[in-house]
Amino acid sequence: MTKNIYTGIVVNLNVDTVTLPNGITVDLEVVRHPGAAAVVPLKDDGTVILIKQFRHAAGGFIYEIPAGKLHPGEDPKVCAVRELEEEVGYRAGSLELLSSIFTAPGFTDEVIHIYKATGLTTGHQQLDRDEVLDVIEMPLAKAIGMIEAGEIRDAKSIVGLYAVHL
């Protein structure tokens, strides 16, 4: 049984009554999210394109790879293409799926599909009104160093950057 507690623009909050594999029945709060796509834009010279974006929930600006929420029924690859151009102003010649990850499976069903974008060409940045960000370009090795120094703490970005680095 599912009881909807809140329906929002981005997420819904439900309380699901479930019977666990051990036979115990419990109520679990679950944040339902439509999913997202993220992109590690990699230039031919090994430069990665990140964003330094204001995130209220994180308490300020954080470094991230470009990403965005899936539209209903949208193919994650289509979302990745859109977000790459909208957020950093580039188009990809090629997109390769690196991984699809659960963000926080203890309380949400959100899955982020992470792609590597290569063959980049200039497009047109077109930020949403709630996006406050700077585009930052740096060598991949520097981004990896920022992860190791605790300067990049966003999980999808860490997964994507390490997947490209390996």
Side-chain angles (χ1 to χ4, degrees):
M1 182 177 91
T2 296
K3 178 181 178 186
N4 180 260
I5 304 299
Y6 173 77
T7 299
I9 297 168
V10 176
V11 298
N12 297 331
L13 173 61
N14 295 339
V15 175
D16 293 348
T17 302
V18 299
T19 301
L20 301 174
N22 64 3
I24 296 174
T25 300
V26 295
D27 288 337
L28 298 174
E29 296 173 353
V30 180
V31 175
R32 301 290 179 188
H33 187 283
V39 185
V40 180
L42 184 65
K43 290 185 163 185
D44 294 339
D45 66 359
T47 298
V48 293
I49 304 165
L50 302 177
I51 58 175
K52 186 176 180 183
Q53 184 166 9
F54 179 78
R55 293 291 193 182
H56 173 73
F61 284 89
I62 64 171
Y63 291 96
E64 299 179 65
I65 58 177
K69 180 174 66 82
L70 296 175
H71 294 156
E74 184 177 35
D75 182 309
K77 193 171 190 177
V78 171
C79 178
V81 167
R82 180 184 71 248
E83 293 298 325
L84 176 65
E85 186 166 11
E86 284 181 3
E87 290 192 355
V88 297
Y90 281 93
R91 294 186 184 122
S94 176
L95 275 180
E96 173 190 346
L97 181 64
L98 298 171
S99 187
S100 294
I101 63 170
F102 288 107
T103 59
F107 67 87
T108 183
D109 64 354
E110 180 186 20
V111 173
I112 297 182
H113 307 277
I114 304 172
Y115 294 86
K116 176 174 78 171
T118 55
L120 302 176
T121 57
T122 303
H124 299 287
Q125 184 186 46
Q126 201 168 350
L127 298 176
D128 293 334
R129 65 185 280 280
D130 65 343
E131 291 178 313
V132 179
L133 62 84
D134 292 317
V135 177
I136 310 287
E137 297 189 15
M138 67 183 67
L140 177 59
K142 181 177 179 184
I144 297 301
M146 290 175 70
I147 293 169
E148 293 167 356
E151 296 174 64
I152 295 177
R153 298 174 50 205
D154 174 63
K156 71 182 176 302
S157 301
I158 292 169
V159 170
L161 290 165
Y162 269 131
V164 168
H165 179 66
L166 297 177

